[in-house]
Amino acid sequence: MARWVERRRSRSALFSRRLAVFFLPVILIAGASHRFGIISTPALLTTLSISWAAFGVALVAGLVGLSRIWEQGIDGLGDAIVGILLGGVMLVPPAYMAFLVLQLPLLNDISTDTVNPPPLTSAAALRPDDAGSTAYPGARAAVLQQEAYPQLRTYRSALSPEDTFDAVIAVINAKGWTISAQSAPVGEGEVGSVEAVATSRILGFADDVAVRITPDGDGALVDIRSASRYGLHDLGANARRVRDFLFALREEIAPTSGGER
């Protein structure tokens, strides 16, 4: 009578699959929880770090298991493939972030006016206690910004300060930023300002934005500052936000009515 013999199974492959499958919902739930304000940004960053480390282990374990399956002819090919695929796919975001860290300067605060940047007054009260300071980082940051993003400069509007202020509000509303404070340039020579919170669409990271409208003859000068609440490196997010805002403002005002100073 023939007796069925159970074939050996790769423990590395099984561990790879179980680890990857376990941390997949962990990272998805953490991201959704942060997006809806259930957990804090530091808690999300900690969870992401642990999860990405786990996916890295899962990827390595899957490759080790695949090697042993090939050499020893044991079971576990499906486990290894699942672990390798999940681990590899989930490591794409941190790999891209690492690429940006190597390519972009160490900045988390961008301003079109680095000598006298728009102040983040309301942001100081809105930021959590564990968030970074609203103070501009200083001359070193200004030099790094100038080298990396020389095109980010003060915008000159040919419209009056009042009309320019209205255009700034329109652009901010169109982008879905939450206005936290605003002051219109109602009197002659008065400086207008708008502060807002810009929230990323996927994970809900909140950054602070300040826009200043300064009278300049018949027109106005517009400066914008965007600063991250957490982290030393913004991965270029603030520069992209400032660039997109200036482009949208030019479109709102009309390309032929103004220009960068």
Side-chain angles (χ1 to χ4, degrees):
M1 182 177 179
R3 185 172 65 179
W4 179 76
V5 178
E6 182 179 2
R7 295 183 60 184
R8 290 175 55 205
R9 190 181 190 90
S10 170
R11 293 182 179 179
S12 297
L14 181 61
F15 173 74
S16 172
R17 177 181 65 81
R18 287 178 173 175
L19 188 64
V21 169
F22 175 81
F23 273 95
L24 179 60
V26 170
I27 202 169
L28 294 177
I29 292 172
S33 298
H34 184 267
R35 182 66 183 82
F36 294 103
I38 299 174
I39 64 174
S40 66
T41 297
L44 173 64
L45 295 177
T46 299
T47 303
L48 289 176
S49 299
I50 295 173
S51 298
W52 283 332
F55 284 120
V57 173
L59 177 61
V60 172
L63 292 173
V64 170
L66 189 63
S67 174
R68 291 176 178 173
I69 290 168
W70 176 265
E71 294 174 353
Q72 302 174 18
I74 57 180
D75 288 340
L77 179 61
D79 294 332
I81 291 176
V82 171
I84 292 171
L85 287 179
L86 281 180
V89 169
M90 297 307 293
L91 285 176
V92 170
Y96 179 63
M97 291 168 62
F99 170 78
L100 292 179
V101 168
L102 295 175
Q103 294 294 315
L104 299 176
L106 184 64
L107 293 170
N108 64 0
D109 195 328
I110 297 292
S111 175
T112 54
D113 185 349
T114 57
V115 176
N116 181 30
L120 294 170
T121 305
S122 68
L126 292 175
R127 287 191 172 192
D129 293 338
D130 56 0
S133 170
T134 58
Y136 184 71
R140 181 177 179 276
V143 172
L144 290 176
Q145 177 185 317
Q146 179 60 31
E147 293 175 350
Y149 314 112
Q151 74 280 13
L152 301 182
R153 303 188 298 272
T154 299
Y155 176 79
R156 188 185 189 285
S157 169
L159 301 181
S160 67
E162 294 83 356
D163 291 339
T164 301
F165 176 84
D166 292 339
V168 167
I169 294 293
V171 171
I172 289 176
N173 288 334
K175 289 187 170 297
W177 300 350
T178 302
I179 295 177
S180 56
Q182 58 179 299
S183 176
V186 291
E188 184 177 354
E190 287 292 322
V191 175
S193 64
V194 184
E195 289 192 60
V197 178
T199 304
S200 64
R201 293 183 178 180
I202 299 177
L203 293 179
F205 288 114
D207 295 331
D208 295 301
V209 179
V211 182
R212 182 177 61 212
I213 302 94
T214 306
D216 182 51
D218 294 332
L221 300 178
V222 179
D223 284 296
I224 175 174
R225 177 184 174 192
S226 179
S228 303
R229 292 186 174 184
Y230 295 92
L232 298 177
H233 203 304
D234 63 8
L235 306 178
N238 289 304
R240 288 191 296 271
R241 182 176 296 113
V242 169
R243 185 184 302 114
D244 291 346
F245 173 85
L246 293 175
F247 177 80
L249 184 61
R250 283 193 293 267
E251 293 298 306
E252 179 70 23
I253 292 176
T256 58
S257 68
E260 291 179 352
R261 187 173 64 178

